[in-house]
Amino acid sequence: MDFYDTDLTSLHEDLVNKKISSTELTKATYENIAADDDQVKAFLTLNQEQALKKAAEVDKQGVAVDQLVSGIPLGVKDNIVTKDLKTTAASKILSNFTPVYDAAVIEKLKAQNFIDAGKLNLDEFAMGGSTENSAFQTTHNPWDLTRVPGGSSGGSAAAVAAGEILAAMGTDTGGSIRLPASYNGVVGMKPTYGRVSRWGIIAFGSSLDQVGWLTRSVKDNALLTSLISGHDDRDLTSSTKEVPNFAGQLNDDTNVKGLRIAVPKEYLGEGVDDNVKVVIQAALKHYESLGAIIDEVSLPNTQYGVAAYYIISSSEASSNLQRFDGIRYGVRATDVENLEDVYVRSRSEGFGDEVKRRIMLGTFSLSAGFYDAYFMKASQIRTLIRQDFEKVFEDHDLVMGPAGPTVAYKIGSNITDPKAMYMNDVLTVPVNMAGLPGMSIPAGFADNMPVGLQIIGKPFDEETMYKAAYTFEQSTDFHKQTPKLGGQN
């Protein structure tokens, strides 16, 4: 099955009309994975036996017209719990964890009879931007196997970019959907905070985390986002707002005439690679040629975003990860002498270095004597960042800029330029701090690697974002480019 030449709607129609069976589609998906994943290393756990069993059930009962993902294999990031299917968050401490329930988003998909193809690699507990922090394997970028796929949803992005699977779910705490989407030349959407239930997501930063999709096309992304959105009583941060049909107005009449687009000068400043700037500026000019109005603006408190983000997210992680103690579930240390030894050894052996660093930073920030100086101050900065966006959105419809300051870098190299490291977070973190929707779409290439254009919208205005993204996609061919897997591009 060539997922580069099809889409969700076409597959659904073929299944409804029995031009292809779910069993055939599922077998073809695993053939794709078998052909490429030894190189890409996107999947941590395959669900092949159960997937084929489910596909046979779907074929027997038939695919209903109103069940868009019925019989279609999709990928799931491995920090989203799946009943009876191992869920590790790419951490040794959860290497033996098999959940007894499904996350809310999985429940919604199972109600539509989707096929869970397997669990995808990530940075441990979603802490990182390269997928090199996984306890089990490093995922490789299909465009150049010597480069990172971004993170933390690197496995999801790489699997879609490599054509192993049609679409995959990810999570985004500070850019973990948008950066991998940019690095891999796919579409990635982080919906508004509260749009999608977080129930059953292994928490990193509870006030920042959000579930979203990585897909080949804007329309597929819009369709899938509609499916998993909506209120959930089990998530107290879940919004009660009505969920529109995000793909409903994506057609030949979709345009951006009169759309006011703000471009923050901070998003094209020092630290952003010159070749990336060229691609983004060309994309903005293209929007202008399509009738959009482009204005330069300032988001002055962006400069404080990174420091505030790491204090808030690490503090929340410190609290959330207390549950992993070797007692209730997960790996328990052996050869221990007492209860305290169980706690200390299990956590010391189970967590990786990056997770330990963030726990220590968060615990320090929340400690007596430092709470006001660090966590409280970071929370105040967060409010200022949100107010910056609110001011810009008073007379603009969208904010745009690069999703990442560079293209994907070499595995193991780490970024040594402090400005680049700074900007790597600056471009994505503010969206999560403000609870806004953000997405990345393919916008061109720099140094033969994909570059993503970041689109940021008003709260719960994913519709406008999808319209703008769809208009750009349909008037360019960047999304049609595919990697030559196995060799450098």
Side-chain angles (χ1 to χ4, degrees), residues 219-251:
K219 191 168 186 177
D220 279 2
N221 202 290
L223 289 165
L224 289 167
T225 299
S226 290
L227 286 183
I228 63 170
S229 298
H231 181 66
D232 179 9
D233 288 335
R234 297 164 298 185
D235 176 3
L236 296 181
T237 64
S238 175
S239 172
T240 57
K241 285 184 178 291
E242 184 179 348
V243 180
N245 177 6
F246 295 127
Q249 297 184 50
L250 304 184
N251 51 51

Side-chain angles (χ1 to χ4, degrees), residues 142-215:
W143 291 88
D144 181 343
L145 296 170
T146 68
R147 296 177 185 263
V148 301
S152 62
S153 306
S156 299
V160 173
E164 294 181 2
I165 201 155
L166 183 69
M169 265 194 290
T171 62
D172 192 311
T173 307
S176 291
I177 287 175
R178 288 159 290 153
L179 193 62
S182 177
Y183 283 0
N184 290 273
V186 298
V187 178
M189 164 66 91
K190 182 206 87 70
T192 307
Y193 183 77
R195 173 69 85 182
V196 180
S197 173
R198 293 183 298 107
W199 194 79
I201 309 304
I202 297 176
F204 166 14
S206 300
S207 72
L208 302 160
D209 297 339
Q210 191 53 250
V211 185
W213 287 97
L214 293 115
T215 60

Side-chain angles (χ1 to χ4, degrees), residues 470-483:
Y470 183 80
T471 301
F472 183 88
E473 177 188 78
Q474 295 302 302
S475 57
T476 61
D477 63 358
F478 302 123
H479 65 292
K480 297 179 181 177
Q481 306 300 310
T482 59

Side-chain angles (χ1 to χ4, degrees), residues 326-399:
I327 300 295
R328 286 163 286 191
Y329 42 73
V331 173
R332 181 182 301 174
T334 57
D335 191 25
V336 295
E337 297 180 359
N338 52 48
L339 183 59
E340 183 179 357
D341 217 16
V342 173
Y343 293 149
V344 173
R345 291 276 302 278
S346 296
R347 289 168 68 84
S348 297
E349 295 170 11
F351 290 140
D353 289 343
E354 182 61 28
V355 173
K356 291 174 184 175
R357 276 192 290 269
R358 300 201 191 197
I359 289 174
M360 288 189 288
L361 174 59
T363 303
F364 174 80
S365 300
L366 293 173
S367 60
F370 296 101
Y371 179 87
D372 289 343
Y374 291 95
F375 187 82
M376 185 61 71
K377 187 63 69 176
S379 298
Q380 292 169 343
I381 291 169
R382 183 179 194 170
T383 299
L384 294 176
I385 290 171
R386 186 175 66 250
Q387 290 172 345
D388 282 350
F389 277 111
E390 289 172 351
K391 184 176 180 180
V392 168
F393 280 130
E394 285 176 1
D395 46 18
H396 292 88
D397 301 297
L398 297 171
V399 173

